[in-house]
């Protein structure tokens, strides 16, 4: 009986280690951050004015970090101030969802001929993909992320991946491997020639007092947090393309 219990305990331990490895809790050291913004390798022709004179279209695809708050509207106003032909920022996002929701939602959006093709698309799912509850193993999240980039590249959209703020408190408990999912975005952007807006290191560098003030629930930045990090980082990435 004792031997059986030992075998069962070892089997349980091996299963736990396998799960931890699959979700990035253990494994090789995450790819460290480099530049905050890495421009895409294939900017297509987005700097050109549209033939019909219409505005440039920026699509934000992601989680509750994109779905909540009015920071996309503030981003649009800031970009519109320098875009000769104007700019529209649209969001395609849903709270609690990861890239398994994002890819088919994006495919549906791109197939809608009544809506304009996005000139630039920014994708952020790494936080929810790292979740033990609704996420994906790291290798599958990487595969789906590459599929999203391929889909957007085929549609002629410039693609950026964006890391967002890490989760703290209970959000960190359910996302123990989130640093490796952020590192995966750095790897995939470099591999696929996508742009990278890497804000996670900026969030991590905040003093605890400031972090508590601007991310009061441990997961979602408030308006001050968006003004402090999110909007400036996105503007720095987009202005060279949108404003020419």
């Amino acid at each position: 009986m004792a031997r059986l219990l030992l075998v069962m305990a070892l089997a349980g331990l091996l299963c736990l280690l396998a799960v931890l490895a699959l979700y990035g809790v253990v494994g090789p050291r995450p790819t460290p951050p480099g530049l905050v913004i890495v421009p895409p390798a294939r900017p297509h022709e987005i700097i050109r004015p549209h033939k019909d004179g219409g505005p440039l279209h920026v699509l934000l695809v992601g989680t509750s970090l994109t779905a909540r708050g009015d920071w996309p509207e503030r981003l649009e106003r800031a970009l519109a101030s320098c875009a000769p032909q104007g700019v529209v920022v649209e969001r395609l996002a849903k709270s609690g969802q990861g890239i398994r929701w994002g890819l088919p939602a994006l495919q549906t959006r791109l197939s809608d001929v009544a809506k304009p093709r996005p000139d630039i698309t920014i994708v952020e799912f790494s936080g929810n993909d790292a979740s033990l509850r609704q996420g994906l193993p790291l290798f599958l999240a990487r595969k789906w992320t590459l599929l999203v980039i391929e889909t957007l590249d085929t549609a002629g959209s410039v693609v950026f991946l964006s890391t967002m703020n890490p989760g703290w408190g209970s959000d960190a408990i359910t996302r123990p491997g989130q640093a490796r999912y952020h590192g995966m975005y750095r790897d995939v952007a470099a591999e696929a020639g996508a742009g990278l807006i890497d804000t996670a290191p900026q969030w991590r560098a905040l003093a605890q007092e400031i972090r508590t003030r601007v991310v009061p629930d441990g997961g979602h930045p408030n308006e001050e947090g968006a003004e402090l990090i999110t909007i400036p980082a996105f503007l720095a990435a987009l202005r060279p393309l949108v404003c020419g």
Side-chain angles (χ1 to χ4, degrees):
M1 176 64 71
R3 190 172 183 178
L4 177 60
L5 290 175
L6 178 61
V7 170
M8 292 175 64
L10 288 173
L13 178 60
L14 289 173
C15 287
L16 176 60
L17 288 173
V19 170
L20 294 178
L22 284 172
Y23 282 85
V25 184
V26 297
R29 184 178 179 182
T31 300
L35 297 173
V36 174
I37 299 159
V38 178
R42 299 183 299 276
H44 301 285
E45 297 177 335
I46 117 150
I47 297 176
R48 79 198 185 303
H50 281 197
K51 291 179 180 178
D52 61 2
L56 289 168
H57 205 90
V58 178
L59 179 62
L60 308 179
V61 185
T63 67
S64 58
L65 298 176
T66 296
R68 292 171 56 160
D70 69 345
W71 71 265
E73 286 76 21
R74 286 183 278 159
L75 175 67
E76 178 181 277
R77 289 195 293 271
L79 289 172
S81 67
C82 71
Q85 66 272 62
V87 63
V88 172
V89 175
E90 174 192 352
R91 49 180 148 187
L92 177 65
K94 189 172 182 180
S95 297
Q97 298 300 319
I99 203 160
R100 282 185 296 182
W101 170 85
L103 178 57
L106 180 62
Q107 290 169 331
T108 299
R109 165 62 181 83
L110 293 174
S111 66
D112 188 345
V113 295
K115 294 182 178 180
R117 172 185 63 82
D119 298 288
I120 307 170
T121 306
I122 302 175
V123 178
E124 62 89 5
F125 285 111
S126 58
N128 280 355
D129 286 342
S131 170
L132 297 175
R133 292 184 299 192
Q134 73 259 32
L136 279 172
L138 186 57
F139 78 98
L140 285 178
R142 176 187 175 89
K143 178 180 178 180
W144 282 64
T145 302
L146 285 166
L147 286 172
V148 163
I149 293 173
E150 181 182 347
T151 298
L152 287 165
D153 194 54
T154 300
S157 180
V158 173
V159 188
F160 283 88
L161 299 180
S162 179
T163 67
M164 305 294 272
N165 59 286
W168 290 284
S170 60
D171 272 10
I173 293 172
T174 59
R175 296 165 173 82
Q178 58 185 330
R180 287 187 173 84
Y181 284 76
H182 292 156
M184 180 268 289
Y185 264 29
R186 298 174 192 127
D187 292 339
V188 167
E191 175 185 333
L196 176 67
I197 308 173
D198 197 5
T199 70
Q202 294 174 279
W203 292 104
R204 290 188 183 278
L206 291 177
Q208 185 171 353
E209 178 185 353
I210 298 174
R211 188 188 76 200
T212 301
R213 188 177 76 239
V214 302
V215 193
D217 69 353
H220 302 88
N222 56 22
E223 289 186 9
E224 183 183 359
E227 288 287 349
L228 181 65
I229 292 179
T230 309
I231 294 175
F234 278 50
L235 283 175
L238 296 176
R239 272 182 173 146
L241 297 176
V242 171
C243 303

